[in-house]
Structure formats: structure tokens, C-alpha cells
Amino acid sequence: MLRYLSLAVCFVLGSATLNAANKEQARLENAGVVMEEILNIPDSIPQELLEKAECVIVIPSMMKAAIGIGGSYGRGAMVCRSGKTFSGPWGAPAMYTLQGGSVGFQLGAVATDLVLFVTNSRGVDALLNSQVKIGADLSAAAGPKGRDVEASTDASLRAEIVSYSRSRGLFAGASVEGTSLRPDDEANEQVYGRKITARQIVTGNKITVPAEGRHFVAVLEKKAPYNESKKLTSR
């Protein structure tokens, strides 16, 4: 009897682990789909921003739900350029969690796709270390729209994080100040099959992109294969 009970417990635990892994893998794959769909929207994200970004974070279907006090929660993935100065090809994805609150009257729940561009190495390093609060630990701005950036939007491109959202078919720059971002070590373990940190994934030399993350990386390679800001400073 005890043997059968032990087998049953092992089966349940194994099934739970497999289900968790499948969920994170699906989330990573969905991040690539969201990235492609948003980049295919006419006059959406400026090409200059794509080319200077050192990392891109996609949070598919982030939930905002509240009555009286708003709250946000979502899980997704971050892909960074490789190399010490984040100027090389796009590398393997690391899983991240976003959460936070905003004061104001809200009613109901809204699923929102969120895309964040990390524009400098200080922002990348902070995100790889631990949880950061956007707007306090890192400067942030709602992103401009249009394929070309005019002088009036230069201020947004100087922020360490530039953010966009898509909700109910509407795409626009979005404010994420007051939310927090942190590496999701449990999700990374589910995706890669071993304990591994976001820093090890992003800065490692021989980290293979998991199958579910190839679409995400391929979309970025197609749209912005080079870090143009680093090319200019190296001349």
C-alpha cells in the first residue's frame, strides 16, 4: 500500500513539474508572437529605438485588475544583445516577472501585452542583479510612435526603459512607473531544465536558445540585427 502511495505521489509531482514547464515554454513562445505582431503594426515602434535597444522585454497578457486601487501582474521574457557591451547578435531569453500597483479608480480586468526596451547598459545590469522599481531605480518613459523619431521625442529615447502596450487592439506608448521587474528564476529553471540565473543566460557564451524562444530571437534579428548606437560610437 505504501509503495502504491509513493508511486502516486511521484506521479503527481512529476505531472505538476511537467505542467509548469509547459506553461513557461508556452509563455516564451507567445512572447515571440506578440513581438512580431506589434512590429508588423504600421508606424508603431521607431526603427531608431529598435536599433539602439540593448534588451527587449515582452510581457504577454499582463493583467490589470482592481476596484479602487489598480494593480498589474505579468510574466514574460527578456532578450538581450550578446557581448560585453551588448552590441552583438540577440542572445538567449531570460524569464521575468512584472508586478506593481497604481492609485486611481479602476473597475474590471484588462489583459495587456507590454513591450519594454532597455536602452543602455546600466539598465541591463540593474535588471540582471535583482528586482528594480521602474521610475525609481531606472528612468522610464512612454514610447513614441512612428518609424522615424522627431526631435520632440528625443527625451523618451534618453530614458533607460521605453515602454509600449497593446490592449483591445489599441497600440500606444505606456507608462509603467511604479511597477517592479525581477528575474523569474523558477521559470528559467522550467525553460532550461536546470537552475540558471538571468545573468548567466544573458552574459553566458554558450547558452543555447530554447526551441520556444527561437521565434522571439529571430524576429529581433530580422528587424534590428545591429546596435546602431554602438556602431556610431565605435567609429
Side-chain angles (χ1 to χ4, degrees), residues 47-55 81 118-120 157-159 226-229:
Q47 185 64 28
E48 180 182 338
L49 176 57
L50 280 170
E51 292 171 350
K52 75 172 291 189
E54 298 188 1
C55 299
R81 296 183 188 274
V118 188
T119 62
N120 60 38
L157 296 187
R158 288 196 294 269
Y226 306 108
N227 188 326
E228 293 295 335
S229 63

Side-chain angles (χ1 to χ4, degrees), residues 75-97:
R75 303 172 77 178
M78 178 173 81
V79 173
C80 298
R81 296 183 188 274
S82 58
K84 291 184 178 180
T85 60
F86 303 104
S87 58
W90 296 97
M95 306 303 285
Y96 270 75
T97 293

